[in-house]
Amino acid sequence: MDFNDSPEEAAYRAEVRAWLEANAPKKPVSGNDLEGGGDTMPASKAWQAKKAAAGYAQITWPREWGGPGGTPIQQVIFNQEEAKYPIPPNPFQIGLGMCVPTVMTFGDEETKKRFVGPALRGEEIWCQLFSEPSGGSDVAASRTRAVREGDEWVINGQKVWTTGAQFSDFGIVITRTNPDAPKHKGLTMFWVDMKDPGIEVRPIHQMSGGSGFNEVFFTNVRVKDSQRLGAVDDGWRVGLVTLMNERLAVGGPSGAGPSEFMEAARHIPGLDGGPALKDQALREKIADWYVATEGLKHTRNRTLTALSRGQTPGPESSIGKVVSALQMQDLANTAVEMLDQYGIINDPALAPLRGGFHGSLMGAAGLRIAGGTDEILKNIIAERVLGLPGDIRVDKDVPFKDMPTGR
């Protein structure tokens, strides 16, 4: 692994730093968050439009679709430098990172011309409609039906845990079109207009007080066959393009980390009245977190090295989310316990890190599900990284209609 920028990468980093210094916001945007389409949305759209005009919105996209045709490592460099500024919330990540690349891969020319530009400029927002109440991380278990009627399809069913559906303009949805085929072979993907009257979005109230996820109900939603992405009954192959992008997007670290914990532990009293950081058991935990964090950093460096060399990263990227989500949960739980009776106070004006540990604690459990559960990702690591025998899948060749439902 090479941890240093090449001369070309160093020159690009200097270019990015100069542009960000001249254009990036210097103060955080104030206002309500994006969960209800809050008043930070105009700032988010303005920043996205500014990046698009300068060629930094989607650096790896080809010039014909509004990007500069840059390399993946250039995108990584921009992301690293942008993270140093108080940029507004990003409601475009799912659309530009998962949905629109699927449209670009499988949509016809008219569809691509209609949607790619507005999404890149932040004028339209997309969501991903995959998960269902009865399917969990098993995307192929989708029961949302699409029945063909001439040149149209009629969609009925329910999706759940859809991030950003409440403020999205469009979405991609995976449906069951052939119940006589095995579950991976009877799926078809479509794009849908989220403002269609047959689509109902119900925000899910989370224990954190937010409502970032949603239930989405489809009732006799009519879509044209031209809205289909890929071939009929080939939706699993189409969905894999989306899922591969999702695993990479979700896998990064988030929440308060070991360094933030150490800083807090320096000022919070421990059992003997001295700083909590002097507690030997706590120090051992911090050491474990530090080692895991360093391991993740070097695993990501493998990915960066592959990108820098023009190679495609392998399935080892699944390691990042498995380790970081569990560590985030353990660290946040320990931090709240360390605060003792004050751990119940999550007021950003009073709690350490403006309530960052509390936010991590309430969000970590969801992160262990989002983008594939721990179990799904461990299977990927076992089978595709370590080369272990695959799980026995007794339903692999069973027609979907004949699969037991538990009723």
Side-chain angles (χ1 to χ4, degrees), residues 97-379:
M98 307 175 199
C99 304
V100 178
T102 305
V103 172
M104 293 169 68
T105 302
F106 296 99
D108 57 32
E109 289 302 311
E110 182 179 349
T111 299
K112 288 186 280 191
K113 289 178 181 178
R114 163 63 184 85
F115 290 120
V116 174
L120 183 72
R121 297 188 294 271
E123 297 164 6
E124 295 172 347
I125 301 174
W126 287 68
C127 63
Q128 173 186 315
L129 299 146
F130 277 21
S131 296
E132 295 191 8
S134 62
S137 288
D138 188 359
V139 175
S142 175
R143 295 182 180 277
T144 295
R145 290 290 306 274
V147 178
R148 189 162 193 165
E149 293 186 1
D151 291 333
E152 292 184 329
W153 296 80
V154 181
I155 301 176
N156 283 280
Q158 177 189 356
K159 299 294 180 176
V160 73
W161 311 123
T162 305
T163 303
Q166 69 272 48
F167 51 72
S168 291
D169 301 291
F170 299 94
I172 56 173
V173 58
I174 197 159
T175 65
R176 175 73 49 192
T177 48
N178 185 1
D180 295 316
K183 66 179 184 180
H184 290 84
K185 299 180 180 180
L187 301 168
T188 304
M189 181 91 77
F190 299 91
W191 65 261
V192 295
D193 185 339
M194 294 298 292
K195 303 300 187 292
D196 190 294
I199 298 178
E200 179 186 1
V201 177
R202 298 181 190 173
I204 298 172
H205 185 72
Q206 299 159 227
M207 65 179 179
S208 64
S211 297
F213 303 111
N214 302 268
E215 295 178 289
V216 182
F217 295 86
F218 292 80
T219 305
N220 295 324
V221 176
R222 289 187 171 271
V223 299
K224 298 178 180 178
D225 188 55
S226 59
Q227 292 176 235
R228 175 167 43 83
L229 299 173
V232 175
D233 295 342
D234 196 30
W236 177 249
R237 184 172 68 91
V238 180
L240 284 178
V241 172
T242 312
L243 292 172
M244 285 189 292
N245 284 297
E246 180 184 39
R247 300 279 153 79
L248 187 60
V250 173
S254 60
S259 59
E260 289 85 359
F261 184 98
M262 289 178 64
E263 183 61 28
R266 288 190 179 99
H267 304 288
I268 294 172
L271 295 176
D272 60 357
L277 189 59
K278 291 185 177 295
D279 183 274
Q280 185 60 38
L282 191 61
R283 294 169 72 89
E284 289 178 3
K285 263 188 170 293
I286 294 172
D288 288 340
W289 295 333
Y290 177 82
V291 171
T293 300
E294 288 297 294
L296 286 176
K297 182 180 75 173
H298 293 310
T299 299
R300 285 193 292 273
N301 281 338
R302 292 180 184 274
T303 298
L304 297 183
T305 300
L307 291 172
S308 181
R309 294 172 177 171
Q311 300 168 352
T312 301
E316 64 273 4
S317 59
S318 297
I319 297 171
K321 195 179 87 70
V322 171
V323 177
S324 61
L326 186 60
Q327 175 179 292
M328 176 182 172
Q329 192 171 32
D330 185 35
L331 187 149
N333 185 65
T334 303
V336 172
E337 286 185 351
M338 179 177 66
L339 293 170
D340 199 32
Q341 67 266 36
Y342 300 103
I344 65 173
I345 301 174
N346 64 355
D347 185 338
L350 301 173
L353 287 180
R354 295 184 56 81
F357 292 125
H358 300 78
S360 294
L361 179 63
M362 291 185 282
L367 184 61
R368 294 183 65 182
I369 298 172
T373 63
D374 289 357
E375 291 77 15
I376 292 289
L377 297 182
K378 286 178 180 178
N379 275 347

Side-chain angles (χ1 to χ4, degrees), residues 16-34:
V16 166
R17 284 177 174 170
W19 185 85
L20 287 169
E21 182 59 30
N23 293 278
K26 303 303 187 290
K27 295 181 179 180
V29 61
S30 60
N32 298 324
D33 59 29
L34 290 169

Side-chain angles (χ1 to χ4, degrees), residues 73-87:
I73 194 63
Q74 288 178 332
Q75 182 69 67
V76 170
I77 289 171
F78 183 86
N79 292 346
Q80 290 173 341
E81 297 301 322
E82 184 188 38
K84 300 176 182 178
Y85 291 85
I87 59 173

